């Protein structure tokens, strides 16, 4: 009976020691697990921080890319607008250039026609010289001076004269006339008809009639 109690005590002591060792091992593993959990949590936090940084960088890059795309689109629209504006003004320039060429050609044609008329009137006026006492002199390139005699019956000395020239607008203008007491208003009517018809015959006749009426 005493022996059985001793065995029981030994078994109990051994069981307690075994339990203590298991408890120590459990505590050791628990400490290790806790440390590992702390490391894992720290690692997870670090990974989350890195992930957030990558996410922020990605969002920043995405924003920068979006802004760059918007700027590029604005530049494209501006270039298109400038090209449209260039095409518009090019069209207007071509139209204006064509009109200028047409106007220049017309001016050259009219100028040549008037200069030819000034040179050709010598032949036409020759028919008047003998009967009307008409003389004319070319002055420069585009000016002519006309002089009338026989304005008063049996008077070959009294004379009247006027000069005509071509303006930059290709119209005829009277530059000087004598006698100067005659009103220029009287001379404008035949001048107006000349610019309209370009016919020197009636113009010279009308001018002579004005001078004859003045002296008689």
């Amino acid at each position: 009976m005493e022996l059985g109690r001793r065995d029981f005590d030994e078994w109990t002591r051994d069981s307690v020691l075994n339990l203590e060792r298991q408890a120590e091992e459990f505590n050791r593993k628990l400490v290790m697990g806790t440390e590992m959990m702390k490391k894992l949590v720290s690692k997870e936090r670090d990974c989350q921080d890195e992930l957030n940084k990558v996410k922020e960088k990605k969002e920043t890059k995405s924003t920068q890319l979006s802004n760059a795309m918007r700027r590029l689109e604005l530049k494209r629209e501006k270039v298109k607008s400038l090209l449209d504006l260039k095409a518009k003004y090019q069209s207007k320039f071509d139209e204006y250039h064509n009109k200028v060429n047409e106007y220049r050609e017309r001016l050259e044609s009219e100028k040549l026609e008037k200069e030819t008329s000034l040179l050709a009137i010598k032949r036409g006026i020759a028919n008047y010289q003998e009967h009307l006492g008409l003389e004319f002199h070319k002055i420069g390139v585009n000016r002519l001076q006309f002089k009338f005699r026989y304005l008063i019956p049996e008077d070959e000395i009294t004379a009247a004269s006027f000069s005509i020239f071509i303006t930059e607008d290709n119209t005829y203008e009277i530059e000087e006339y004598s006698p100067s007491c005659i009103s220029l208003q009287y001379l404008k009517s035949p001048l107006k008809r000349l610019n309209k018809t370009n016919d020197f015959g009636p113009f010279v006749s009308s001018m002579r009639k004005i001078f004859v009426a003045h002296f008689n």
Side-chain angles (χ1 to χ4, degrees):
M1 183 74 177
E2 187 175 338
L3 179 62
R5 186 180 181 87
R6 191 170 49 244
D7 291 338
F8 177 76
D9 291 339
E10 289 179 0
W11 177 82
T12 300
R13 187 175 56 252
D14 291 340
S15 295
V16 170
L17 291 174
N18 188 38
L19 287 173
E20 288 178 350
R21 283 194 298 270
Q22 288 180 0
E24 289 177 0
E25 181 66 19
F26 177 78
N27 286 333
R28 187 181 65 81
K29 289 183 178 180
L30 182 61
V31 171
M32 290 178 60
T34 301
E35 292 297 327
M36 187 175 293
M37 285 296 295
K38 289 181 179 179
K39 290 181 180 179
L40 287 174
V41 170
S42 177
K43 192 71 174 177
E44 182 183 10
R45 189 160 46 247
D46 292 341
C47 289
Q48 188 63 43
D49 291 341
E50 289 295 327
L51 181 62
N52 290 336
K53 290 179 181 180
V54 171
K55 191 175 180 179
E56 288 177 2
K57 288 182 179 180
K58 183 178 179 181
E59 291 176 352
T60 301
K61 288 289 185 182
S62 177
T63 302
Q64 292 175 346
L65 181 60
S66 297
N67 292 337
M69 290 295 292
R70 281 195 294 270
R71 288 195 297 270
L72 180 60
E73 187 63 28
L74 289 174
K75 286 183 179 180
R76 285 176 179 168
E77 292 177 359
K78 188 174 182 180
V79 169
K80 184 179 181 301
S81 177
L82 288 174
L83 289 175
D84 292 342
L85 188 63
K86 178 185 176 183
K88 177 182 177 181
Y89 281 105
Q90 183 65 45
S91 177
K92 288 186 176 180
F93 174 79
D94 292 340
E95 181 181 356
Y96 175 76
H97 184 68
N98 291 335
K99 287 183 178 180
V100 168
N101 285 338
E102 290 175 2
Y103 181 69
R104 182 184 292 115
E105 290 175 0
R106 186 168 66 251
L107 286 180
E108 290 295 331
S109 176
E110 291 177 357
K111 184 177 180 180
L112 179 62
E113 180 181 351
K114 289 185 182 294
E115 289 179 353
T116 301
S117 296
L118 284 175
L119 295 175
I121 59 172
K122 182 176 180 179
R123 293 188 296 271
I125 293 177
N127 296 325
Y128 296 92
Q129 288 181 332
E130 182 177 356
H131 304 288
L132 305 179
L134 175 64
E135 300 176 8
F136 69 93
H137 305 280
K138 184 178 178 182
I139 304 173
V141 177
N142 60 350
R143 279 174 169 77
L144 281 176
Q145 183 187 56
F146 296 82
K147 181 177 288 188
F148 294 106
R149 296 187 185 278
Y150 309 144
L151 299 172
I152 302 174
E154 300 179 0
D155 183 349
E156 298 182 4
I157 298 176
T158 301
S161 65
F162 68 92
S163 297
I164 190 171
F165 72 101
I166 300 176
T167 68
E168 292 181 355
D169 296 328
N170 284 322
T171 58
Y172 295 108
E173 285 290 342
I174 293 176
E175 187 173 34
E176 297 175 353
Y177 61 93
S178 176
S180 58
C181 58
I182 297 177
S183 174
L184 181 61
Q185 193 66 30
Y186 292 111
L187 308 180
K188 285 186 176 180
S189 179
L191 184 65
K192 184 177 180 181
R193 286 196 300 272
L194 173 63
N195 280 313
K196 185 176 180 179
T197 64
N198 201 35
D199 189 348
F200 267 90
F203 170 69
V204 173
S205 295
S206 296
M207 293 294 289
R208 176 178 171 79
K209 288 178 181 179
I210 292 173
F211 290 126
V212 169
H214 173 75
F215 286 108
N216 293 278

